[in-house]
Amino acid sequence: MPIIAEHQGDVLFLGLSGRLDSNQAAELETSFLETVAGANKILLDFQGLEFISSAGLRVILMTAKRTKQVGGHLALFGLNANILKVFRVSGFLKILQVFDTREQALEFVNAPE
């Protein structure tokens, strides 16, 4: 699974595309751990993501926990209707910050404490 990483100031944007299922989850977990090390403002761009499985959800949850441990902020944006439904059914909408646009997510992670 290709991950597009982009820094904008102190914010790390990670763009996901394709399918995030059990076949890609282990690779993505390793890549995320390396990429997010030292970052405490992370935006996950789901605009190119077509599918997410429970294994993919676990990677997202692990990233959220790691970000919280370092006092950081994680926000997701650009979820399509199917992925949004998976997040709703799994309860992830109650524990993660999910926004429609990049601008909204950026405003959240940059909000003063």
Side-chain angles (χ1 to χ4, degrees):
M1 160 178 274
I3 302 171
I4 299 169
E6 170 192 341
H7 288 273
Q8 182 178 343
D10 60 349
V11 179
L12 173 62
F13 290 89
L14 297 174
L16 306 177
S17 62
R19 297 175 56 87
L20 178 47
D21 56 26
S22 58
N23 293 328
Q24 290 81 24
E27 175 186 332
L28 182 66
E29 183 175 351
T30 301
S31 179
F32 265 23
L33 288 175
E34 293 170 3
T35 305
V36 302
N40 67 354
K41 293 181 180 180
I42 302 170
L43 297 186
L44 298 181
D45 179 353
F46 278 41
Q47 293 178 92
L49 196 65
E50 300 165 5
F51 174 84
I52 191 165
S53 72
S54 59
L57 289 173
R58 187 185 69 74
V59 173
I60 302 304
L61 184 59
M62 177 218 50
T63 303
K65 286 182 178 180
R66 185 236 147 256
T67 305
K68 188 174 183 175
Q69 287 173 344
V70 298
H73 300 285
L74 173 75
L76 292 68
F77 69 95
L79 287 70
N80 70 34
N82 290 332
I83 293 176
L84 193 57
K85 182 178 178 181
V86 170
F87 273 67
R88 185 177 301 111
V89 169
S90 66
F92 274 47
L93 289 181
K94 295 178 183 175
I95 58 174
L96 297 174
Q97 300 297 320
V98 177
F99 300 93
D100 292 329
T101 67
R102 178 179 176 136
E103 292 76 23
Q104 292 169 330
L106 186 59
E107 185 176 320
F108 168 77
V109 299
N110 283 324
E113 301 285 328

